[in-house]
Every structure is written in structure tokens, then in C-alpha cells.
Amino acid sequence: MEFASSYLPLDLARNTPIAQPNPGPGGIYARLEELGHRLDRFEEEVRARMPAPAEVKTLRLAAGVPVIHLIRTAYDTEGRAVEVCDTVMASDAYVLAYQLPAE
């Protein structure tokens, strides 16, 4: 239904549970906070597009089904980007719902 890749600065992830296939309870974000990188905000880019042939195969998509491509960047309270997560989702399997403050 989806596949995702996370990218983190090497100086944050090297020799930590973050670099393991299973970083433990709470995942990458819990490990970042344990290392002193308190999360402040996330930015997301969302687009719908037709899938590449490899994505059709990986996601086992029916003909004509688009994908949702989501790129999320996590920032700590110092303003440093501490993770970029690149996710591709089958559009017929997901609903993306957001609440946005009216500032």
C-alpha cells in the first residue's frame, strides 16, 4: 500500500538505534528526542501523480491508479532538518486529512 524512505543527517544517526531496521518503541522520532533533538514542526509536500513502472509493480497497482507522493521534513527546535521522509502511497488506499490552525 505504501513504501517510504527516511533520510537523516549521518552525525545524528551513526552508531545509534536510529540506524537499525527497528529503532525501538516510538520509532525514529522518539530516538531523536532522546538524543536531545526536540521536534518542533513538520513540513509536508503532497502531490498526486501517475506511478513509475517500478512503483506499479511494488505497490501492485491496478491500471490507471495514481499514487500520492508525500515528502515530510521534520525540524527540531533549533531549526535543523533532522529527517526527510519520502513516501509513495497507492491513492486508492489512503485519505490524507489535515487540521490547520487559522492564524
Side-chain angles (χ1 to χ4, degrees):
M1 293 179 18
E2 78 171 26
F3 59 89
S5 298
S6 286
Y7 303 92
L8 292 94
L10 186 58
D11 65 303
L12 297 183
R14 181 182 291 168
N15 300 322
T16 72
I18 293 170
Q20 301 301 314
N22 180 356
I28 290 171
Y29 296 140
R31 302 298 78 78
L32 284 168
E33 294 218 346
E34 290 169 0
L35 293 169
H37 296 277
R38 184 151 177 82
L39 298 176
D40 179 58
R41 73 182 194 283
F42 299 89
E43 292 180 3
E44 293 187 342
E45 289 181 19
V46 182
R47 29 176 86 85
R49 61 173 172 76
M50 295 310 293
E55 294 168 337
V56 171
K57 183 176 180 180
T58 300
L59 296 173
R60 298 183 179 136
L61 297 173
V65 174
V67 293
I68 299 169
H69 189 184
L70 171 68
I71 298 176
R72 180 183 59 243
T73 305
Y75 294 89
D76 67 11
T77 55
E78 301 296 316
R80 182 178 184 184
V82 294
E83 185 228 18
V84 174
C85 185
D86 187 345
T87 305
V88 177
M89 299 170 258
S91 66
D92 60 349
Y94 286 89
V95 172
L96 303 181
Y98 295 88
Q99 292 184 4
L100 303 172
E103 295 182 65

